[in-house]
Amino acid sequence: AGLDPLTRGARVIVQNAAGALVAADSQTFLGPSTPTREMSFGNTLTLFGRVRVFGLLDYTGGPYLYNVKDQYRCWGGSFVTTWNTNAAQNIPGACWDVNDPGQSEEFKRMRQQDPSINNGLFIQKADFIKLPDVSVSYTLPTTWSQRVGTQQAALTLAAHNVAILYKPHYSGPDPEVNFTGVNDPGSYFSFIRVDSWTAPMARRFTASLQISF
């Protein structure tokens, strides 16, 4: 039947005896932090004997990513306290989830809770399809190359991290980032992937000239 759209499989948030909102005792395993399936497809098309066009597609499926950035953007309203004071702050959350007029007040309220009790709401599927590499190469005519004392020369223009074509579940800019990267068996962060204001991989453009003598 899928996850409850209100809780998205996270701990249910309930009121304790003092009336404060807390996480319930039960937990639900949402999914792995590492991919369960990966696939790549690349192809080179040669035109007119001299022009080569290359493209690569990458697909990753199965991993989950903890979106800390959106969690803290949603955190706000009269339900929370600041780090340095116990006084409630009437500050609206900035994320779309808590400003969407189509969502219920309960939905918005749960997403504005203290991050210590609602982090499961922001663990999101991180499936994606990317276009990581595209290049165009042109092999110069042999007569041109021989004029400068070479046998062959080719000019290549390439673009890297071109575009994310598909990421239906993840609300952050790049589902492939990871803030932690801690390789410590005793660390909590060894078992999760986190997007904590992590800069996405930059789009890059390069040019190269290959010469054969």
Side-chain angles (χ1 to χ4, degrees):
L3 297 178
D4 182 335
L6 186 65
T7 64
R8 295 178 184 165
R11 286 188 179 189
V12 177
I13 299 173
V14 297
Q15 282 189 323
N16 63 14
L21 288 169
V22 297
D25 292 334
S26 61
Q27 290 181 314
T28 301
F29 176 71
L30 297 181
S33 59
T34 55
T36 58
R37 52 195 181 275
E38 294 179 294
M39 182 171 61
S40 294
F41 175 78
N43 196 23
T44 300
L45 178 65
T46 302
L47 303 171
F48 315 114
R50 297 190 181 278
V51 178
R52 287 174 294 135
V53 180
F54 170 78
L56 176 67
L57 286 175
D58 278 347
Y59 165 74
T60 291
Y64 283 72
L65 181 59
Y66 178 17
N67 192 342
V68 173
K69 173 179 59 62
D70 273 10
Q71 181 181 28
Y72 278 80
R73 290 175 62 216
C74 290
W75 187 25
S78 59
F79 315 110
V80 302
T81 58
T82 64
W83 287 112
N84 300 318
T85 177
N86 289 325
Q89 304 294 304
N90 189 21
I91 303 171
C95 73
W96 175 243
D97 270 357
V98 300
N99 290 281
D100 183 356
Q103 295 291 357
S104 68
E105 289 305 311
E106 184 182 5
F107 179 94
K108 296 176 184 179
R109 187 174 186 232
M110 293 178 70
R111 274 147 188 80
Q112 292 184 97
Q113 298 308 311
D114 188 293
S116 65
I117 64 172
N118 75 347
N119 54 14
L121 302 178
F122 296 92
I123 296 175
Q124 302 169 345
K125 289 183 178 181
D127 296 18
F128 67 84
I129 297 176
K130 281 188 174 184
L131 181 64
D133 291 291
V134 173
S135 65
V136 178
S137 298
Y138 177 69
T139 302
L140 276 63
T142 304
T143 54
W144 294 12
S145 302
Q146 291 176 344
R147 288 177 185 176
V148 294
T150 64
Q151 294 297 318
Q152 189 178 50
L155 175 66
T156 300
L157 302 176
H160 312 278
N161 299 317
V162 180
I164 300 175
L165 305 179
Y166 171 85
K167 61 175 187 74
H169 310 292
Y170 190 67
S171 58
D174 188 347
E176 201 172 14
V177 300
N178 188 15
F179 168 78
T180 54
V182 177
N183 185 19
D184 180 1
S187 169
Y188 167 71
F189 291 111
S190 298
F191 302 98
I192 62 173
R193 291 176 58 234
V194 177
D195 179 1
S196 183
W197 297 280
T198 311
M201 289 185 287
R203 184 178 294 117
R204 297 180 295 112
F205 300 93
T206 61
S208 61
L209 179 63
Q210 183 179 5
I211 299 174
S212 301
F213 293 95

